[in-house]
Amino acid sequence: MSLIRVVRLVAPVVLGSLVLATSAHAQQSKGEAAVEYRKSVYEVMAWNFGPMGAMAQGKVPYNAAEFAKRAERVAFIAPLLTEAFPPESQGVKRTDLKPEAWSNRADFDAKLKDLIDRTAALAATAKAGDFEKSKAAFFDAANTCKACHDKYKVKD
Ligand code: ASC
């Protein structure tokens, strides 16, 4: 079969599935997309935060390179959240965000900035490979997670 013939046969299928995928996305509002996005960001954060927590709590042995790698990822990911709470996402169902986050937006944003600052500090500290300092920086960062969850996240 000639290449041109293969392309003629396959192209409609490829184009068709592209159109379907695009329309599935188009049915989602901007707010819903933002909620989905931020949940994904938090998933990636938790995935990388977990192993550091296990080391900080002495559940697994400290591995400086592993700890620093996780810290660097979390520091990179945290700032993504600054665009994950657009006004359009207010009132979207299936979110753990309490309405208070919207009425206290300045405080919410300050807490997000704390997370970004502390995770950046954690990554910088972790790079030096000192366990006690890394552990302290880890708990500083974890406390910024907790401060926001306590106030603005619906309890599981
Ligand atoms: C985690 C995780 C959180 C935070 C929080 C810190 O590993 O998934 O939500 O740390 O428990 O207090």
Side-chain angles (χ1 to χ4, degrees):
M1 201 186 294
S2 75
L3 182 60
I4 290 180
R5 206 165 140 65
V6 171
V7 170
R8 281 217 183 103
L9 280 171
V10 171
V13 179
V14 173
L15 280 177
S17 50
L18 269 178
V19 169
L20 278 180
T22 311
S23 67
H25 257 276
Q27 280 162 17
Q28 195 181 41
S29 71
K30 190 180 173 196
E32 286 165 343
V35 170
E36 206 171 286
Y37 175 65
R38 71 190 180 225
K39 284 183 177 177
S40 310
V41 173
Y42 285 120
E43 286 282 340
V44 179
M45 289 202 62
W47 181 272
N48 286 285
F49 217 66
M52 280 190 286
M55 289 185 228
Q57 291 166 46
K59 289 178 183 162
V60 302
Y62 173 62
N63 175 323
E66 174 72 9
F67 193 103
K69 179 180 85 177
R70 303 287 171 188
E72 193 179 349
R73 287 181 183 171
V74 168
F76 179 81
I77 294 160
L80 305 184
L81 292 167
T82 55
E83 60 192 76
F85 295 87
E88 292 88 347
S89 65
Q90 185 169 6
V92 171
K93 306 258 189 315
R94 278 177 292 160
T95 170
D96 288 342
L97 188 68
K98 286 186 184 168
E100 287 87 333
W102 300 105
S103 44
N104 299 319
R105 187 65 204 241
D107 180 59
F108 180 83
D109 286 344
K111 285 181 163 44
L112 180 50
K113 188 177 182 308
D114 285 344
L115 172 75
I116 292 166
D117 292 348
R118 295 295 177 171
T119 51
L122 170 61
T125 301
K127 209 177 262 185
D130 180 296
F131 180 54
E132 289 307 320
K133 285 182 184 156
S134 296
K135 195 161 95 170
F138 172 82
F139 286 115
D140 279 350
N143 282 336
T144 67
C145 305
K146 189 176 184 320
C148 192
H149 293 176
D150 286 351
K151 217 166 160 187
Y152 298 119
K153 188 182 178 202
V154 175
K155 301 268 178 300
D156 293 321

